[in-house]
Amino acid sequence: MIKILNYNELSYDEIFSRFEPTSSVEGVVSDIIKTVKTFGDKALFDYTARFDKAQLTDLQVSKAEINEARSLVEPEFIGILEHAAKNIRKFHEAQKRQSFIINDGDGIVMGQKIIPVDRAGLYVPGGTAAYPSTVLMDAIPAKIAGVREVVMVTPPSADGKVNPAILAAASVAGVDKIFKVGGAQAIAALAYGTETIPKVDKIVGPGNAFVAEAKKQVFGTVSIDMIAGPSEILVVADGKSNPRWVAADLLSQAEHDKNASAVLVTDSMELAQAVSDELEKQIPLLDRAEIARASIDNNGKIIVADNLNVVIDIANEIAPEHLELCVDNPFDWLSKIRHAGSIFMGRNCPEALGDYLAGPNHTLPTSGTAKFSSPLSVDDFIKKTQYTYYTADALKRVAEDVACFARKEGLTGHAKSAVIRLEDDEA
């Protein structure tokens, strides 16, 4: 049963503690990465046979396989994928940045260029945890950014095939190449390249502990989106909220993972108790009831505070991945929310809208990192390069100032490079 906590009666740690998963896979992942770097495709075939029980002859998914997958997916679901993709494109198109140039007419030109990365790698879980929504959320921003080639890796099932819904989503999103490989070995292949899989500049997408550790180890060789922790939802709800709806929203994240966190913060003890009772009714009805039960019992909590202002303060301190504002006039409270991955406004906006259809990205900062990081966006697939131009006269006006600054830092070579042109002009 979920814990009900009175904010005024407990310590900071009791209120704000999070489950902190520990990983003992560092050494295993390091060995996998070294093996893939050394043996390339051979290592990928071997690991796929060992971990996924699939005997492959080709790593790349063929066009025929993609077409077959689309034919196996219900036309209704293809339509839903296209609807979601349209919404995701609309939202992320608004994120595009523009290059700029500053020319004051005094012989000085400055500017910034926005340049997409050349190649992005998407990791998409497979098997029983097949998430076509992840394909759309990761591939579409990359395409909007102008990434030249979007490469996807995903583990095959034992028959050597990829989940048809994932391939259908990749087709809708415009993924350029798809490879049948998963786990840490897939991350290594994207980071370093093999005979078949090209090296990428950025790796994005969720995965298990092996994938997360591999992303951590290859960071620096490539860029990554984030190291994601367990799924989280925090519902801010007043006493007018429907306890059945709130309970269902909490379970929408609890069913992800036994380590997931579902939290309700409210100013109503009556709502708190009603939601607790409702959770007990709804959990047995879920297909993933065992997972949801573990999540709610071990990591779930209901925090009762004196008023909504305190409730919002608690939410900001927790800085959740998903935050629902189940209150009247939610836009009146929006400016008070400082730390959250994605905010769902009002009583009719369940978090599941964001997972699938609304348009904002569902790859979000977890574990409190919303205090300093952001959802996946077009920005993740671009880089900024700046440039400077000075005429001879413009340099002459500031050369001595540059040299003075350099000498103050003990860098006489810097100083010389600024004034040597003046010396040559006078010679």
Side-chain angles (χ1 to χ4, degrees):
M1 182 172 288
I2 197 165
K3 299 179 287 292
I4 299 178
L5 309 174
N6 189 315
Y7 180 66
N8 295 320
E9 296 176 357
L10 295 170
S11 68
Y12 181 94
D13 287 342
E14 289 173 300
I15 293 289
F16 295 110
S17 63
R18 266 185 167 94
F19 172 80
E20 296 183 4
T22 57
S23 174
S24 58
V25 301
E26 181 178 351
V28 173
V29 168
S30 178
D31 289 343
I32 290 173
I33 291 172
K34 290 176 184 176
T35 302
V36 172
K37 286 177 66 176
T38 302
F39 297 103
D41 283 354
K42 181 181 183 305
L44 299 181
F45 283 117
D46 290 346
Y47 282 129
T48 302
R50 176 179 169 187
F51 296 132
D52 301 306
K53 313 303 179 187
Q55 301 292 334
L56 301 179
T57 55
D58 291 298
L59 292 172
Q60 187 166 358
V61 175
S62 67
K63 289 185 178 180
E65 289 176 291
I66 296 172
N67 292 335
E68 179 188 15
R70 285 198 66 139
S71 71
L72 294 174
V73 175
E74 304 90 332
E76 178 186 11
F77 186 65
I78 296 291
I80 292 171
L81 286 173
E82 291 172 344
H83 180 193
K86 179 181 177 181
N87 291 343
I88 295 165
R89 288 191 185 98
K90 181 178 180 180
F91 181 84
H92 290 81
E93 283 281 358
Q95 296 176 336
K96 292 176 68 175
R97 292 176 179 262
Q98 300 297 320
S99 299
F100 65 80
I101 185 169
I102 300 171
N103 186 346
D104 291 332
D106 56 358
I108 301 171
V109 178
M110 298 175 287
Q112 178 176 277
K113 290 177 61 178
I114 302 296
I115 308 168
V117 300
D118 288 338
R119 186 180 286 121
L122 318 181
Y123 186 92
V124 179
T128 58
Y131 299 125
S133 58
T134 294
V135 181
L136 302 182
M137 293 290 181
D138 290 355
I140 290 173
K143 284 291 185 178
I144 290 172
V147 174
R148 178 170 55 84
E149 187 172 58
V150 176
V151 178
M152 188 177 96
V153 292
T154 188
S157 55
D159 62 3
K161 295 185 176 182
V162 173
N163 185 292
I166 287 178
L167 293 184
S171 175
V172 168
V175 173
D176 297 297
K177 293 179 180 178
I178 308 169
F179 297 95
K180 304 174 186 179
V181 58
Q185 61 272 22
I187 300 300
L190 291 173
Y192 298 102
T194 71
E195 298 91 332
T196 301
I197 299 179
K199 181 187 186 308
V200 304
D201 303 300
K202 178 102 181 195
I203 299 174
V204 304
N208 61 19
F210 292 89
V211 171
E213 178 61 32
K215 287 170 70 176
K216 186 186 300 183
Q217 291 191 25
V218 302
F219 176 66
T221 299
V222 294
S223 177
I224 62 172
D225 51 352
M226 63 187 74
I227 304 297
S231 298
E232 303 174 340
I233 186 170
L234 186 149
V235 178
V236 167
D238 60 21
K240 300 177 185 177
S241 300
N242 186 321
R244 296 180 65 247
W245 298 3
V246 173
D249 291 356
L250 293 173
L251 291 175
S252 72
Q253 292 306 294
E255 72 172 354
H256 263 301
D257 181 355
K258 292 180 179 180
N259 296 328
S261 169
V263 176
L264 165 64
V265 191
T266 180
D267 60 349
S268 169
M269 181 59 76
E270 290 77 13
L271 179 70
Q273 190 58 60
V275 170
S276 177
D277 294 343
E278 191 62 38
L279 286 169
E280 295 307 303
K281 296 176 185 177
Q282 292 189 27
I283 288 173
L285 304 178
L286 298 176
D287 289 346
R288 296 165 68 91
E290 182 182 356
I291 293 172
R293 167 57 67 194
S295 170
I296 290 295
D297 288 354
N298 297 331
N299 305 311
K301 62 183 73 169
I302 299 175
I303 303 170
V304 182
D306 292 337
N307 56 66
L308 282 180
N309 283 304
V310 177
V311 166
I312 295 298
D313 289 342
I314 295 169
N316 279 324
E317 183 63 27
I318 292 175
E321 178 186 16
H322 307 97
L323 172 63
E324 288 189 8
L325 276 178
C326 297
V327 297
D328 290 334
N329 305 313
F331 284 93
D332 291 347
W333 296 92
L334 181 59
S335 64
K336 299 180 184 298
I337 302 296
R338 294 182 51 78
H339 307 304
S342 192
I343 306 170
F344 300 85
M345 307 286 288
R347 305 186 199 280
N348 299 298
C349 195
E351 181 277 332
L353 273 173
D355 275 348
Y356 301 117
L357 204 68
N361 210 281
H362 78 192
T363 301
L364 304 169
T366 61
S367 306
T369 59
K371 287 188 175 181
F372 53 80
S373 57
S374 307
L376 188 77
S377 71
V378 171
D379 286 349
D380 284 282
F381 299 98
I382 63 165
K383 54 194 178 74
K384 298 177 281 289
T385 297
Q386 58 194 28
Y387 57 90
T388 307
Y389 169 81
Y390 273 56
T391 63
D393 286 343
L395 174 62
K396 187 178 298 184
R397 292 195 299 270
V398 300
E400 290 295 345
D401 290 345
V402 173
C404 178
F405 213 140
R407 294 186 193 104
K408 183 64 69 174
E409 295 188 347
L411 299 173
T412 54
H414 282 61
K416 186 67 173 180
S417 73
V419 299
I420 194 170
R421 291 165 172 79
L422 307 185
E423 295 170 354
D424 286 354
D425 287 344
E426 293 170 358

